[in-house]
Amino acid sequence: MPEDLSCSAAPEAAGTDAGPPTAQRAAAEGFRSVLASVEAGEREEFPLPGSGRTGHRFAALRAVAEVDLCTARLVEGHVDAAAILAELGAPPPGPGERWGVWAAEPPGEGLTALRKNVDADADDGSGWVISGLKQYCSGAHSCTHALVTARAGDERRLFAVRADGDDCRPVEGTWPAVGMAGSDTPDVRFTDVPARAIGGPEAYVRRPGFWHGGIGVAACWYGGAVAVSRVLGEAAARRPEPHTDAHLGAVDIQLQAAEALLERAAAEIDADPFDAHGGAQLRAMRVRAFVESACAAVLDHVGRATGAGPLCHDARHARAAADLAVYIRQHHAERDLAALGSLLARPEGAR
């Protein structure tokens, strides 16, 4: 959902870079710029899910994604962190802070949390330290703080940490991606990083907002698909050609349906923010599955209609298409469809 809890593993690697790649620098600057403009009141904010303005939240995420999907990935992580902190009763991000949500838990080493220096008179969640390797940490070089999942004994818990110190270091060479390169998502090595527990054991995945946040990711996918579709609209406008027009029509109905489903989901979240009716998981799984399929269809139709030209000679389109193809793989295809079918057939097994 908002952060993948079951990605395939990526090996730790060592290496040095002369500096962050161009895509990474551009996305990081876009990340800072979006958050600064929100703090300054120069652009629309990202309302919390269930606040009565969830549709505005999804629209704001879509708008960032239409400009750059990697920037949107970083912004989505920050606003998801803000929503998590609010839902679990923790203070919000402060001015100038940039947060990520690093909750992927593929096979491998992972993070371990130990409790130290406990003040029995003021148990505010402090006094923990975290060590180990966390994979898929988007914004590793630009986030000042992060929410991370870690094992505390037999329990999985969520912790807030500072992410910009020497005790929390990205492992160079572990994000060689082409698509979503700018999202800056390497492994990060934690060495006795001070941490504050947020919520109780399993609170991160058991809250209704876990599913609401997953739809926010789908809103970013949708914005990326809109961006990819532009070259097809431009090609169709240049000259009449029935096959190009047919592909444009097919793309239009996919995008219209995805937009309508996101709007409906936003209204349903606002009507039941705490999931009293138990529909949040099913809603999120349906929306994510459909938006992913719509994005895949857009990529296919645009490629078939416009050929190799835009992919080879239009750098912005090539990046958008490559980024979208990678980003929608946060949906796990048949595995997630099987989970949806299982939930429909046996709803009593839902978590």
Side-chain angles (χ1 to χ4, degrees):
M1 289 291 109
E3 282 285 342
D4 181 10
L5 294 175
S6 55
C7 294
S8 59
E12 183 171 4
T16 58
D17 293 324
T22 300
Q24 181 181 315
R25 291 198 304 270
E29 179 55 36
F31 183 27
R32 296 185 187 95
S33 177
V34 169
L35 297 187
S37 64
V38 172
E39 288 182 7
E42 297 170 353
R43 66 176 294 150
E44 186 170 10
E45 60 181 344
F46 298 84
L48 294 174
S51 63
R53 301 180 64 220
T54 304
H56 292 277
R57 178 185 182 86
F58 292 167
L61 287 169
R62 166 193 167 176
V64 177
E66 285 188 39
V67 176
D68 183 74
L69 265 180
C70 291
T71 296
R73 173 67 190 91
L74 302 181
V75 171
E76 187 278 327
H78 177 89
V79 301
D80 188 42
I84 295 166
L85 291 168
E87 189 171 11
L88 297 181
E97 295 178 354
R98 298 179 300 279
W99 286 67
V101 180
W102 300 345
E105 294 189 355
E109 178 180 346
L111 296 181
T112 300
L114 295 175
R115 195 75 184 272
K116 297 181 178 180
N117 305 320
V118 180
D119 183 347
D121 296 326
D123 187 3
D124 59 356
S126 62
W128 294 84
V129 293
I130 292 178
S131 295
L133 186 74
K134 175 61 78 172
Q135 296 181 41
Y136 299 102
C137 300
S138 293
H141 291 86
S142 55
C143 286
T144 61
H145 296 73
L147 294 176
V148 302
T149 51
R151 293 284 170 178
D154 294 331
E155 299 174 333
R156 178 174 55 178
R157 300 191 64 154
L158 185 71
F159 298 89
V161 299
R162 284 202 67 99
D164 55 359
D166 289 340
D167 52 2
C168 189
R169 297 181 64 86
V171 180
E172 301 303 333
T174 54
W175 187 243
V178 177
M180 295 300 289
S183 69
D184 180 25
T185 309
D187 304 351
V188 171
R189 172 64 64 185
F190 287 66
T191 305
D192 290 333
V193 177
R196 177 166 51 92
I198 305 296
E202 302 296 333
Y204 170 67
V205 295
R206 289 178 177 168
R207 61 196 172 84
F210 179 81
W211 302 105
H212 303 340
I215 299 176
V217 174
C220 293
W221 298 343
Y222 171 70
V226 171
V228 167
S229 73
R230 290 193 184 113
V231 297
L232 176 54
E234 293 165 359
R238 281 194 295 270
R239 64 182 180 88
E241 203 285 317
H243 292 97
T244 302
D245 290 348
H247 283 296
L248 181 60
V251 163
D252 179 71
I253 61 174
Q254 291 290 330
L255 292 177
Q256 290 295 312
E259 182 178 28
L261 193 58
L262 285 165
E263 290 176 351
R264 173 179 167 180
E268 290 177 353
I269 290 169
D270 285 337
D272 187 15
F274 302 110
D275 196 29
H277 297 113
Q281 181 179 358
L282 182 58
R283 178 190 308 117
M285 295 177 78
R286 283 172 167 166
V287 171
R288 285 170 63 92
F290 182 79
V291 175
E292 182 272 340
S293 70
C295 291
V298 169
L299 285 166
D300 185 55
H301 281 290
V302 171
R304 290 167 66 88
T306 62
L311 293 172
C312 296
H313 300 292
D314 183 337
R316 183 172 183 177
H317 172 71
R319 282 194 302 270
D323 289 346
L324 182 60
V326 171
Y327 201 178
I328 61 174
R329 292 282 54 85
Q330 280 195 356
H331 185 270
H332 299 113
E334 281 71 21
R335 184 170 57 166
D336 281 358
L337 292 174
L340 173 57
S342 175
L343 178 59
L344 291 168
R346 294 171 294 280
E348 68 279 0
R351 61 179 170 89

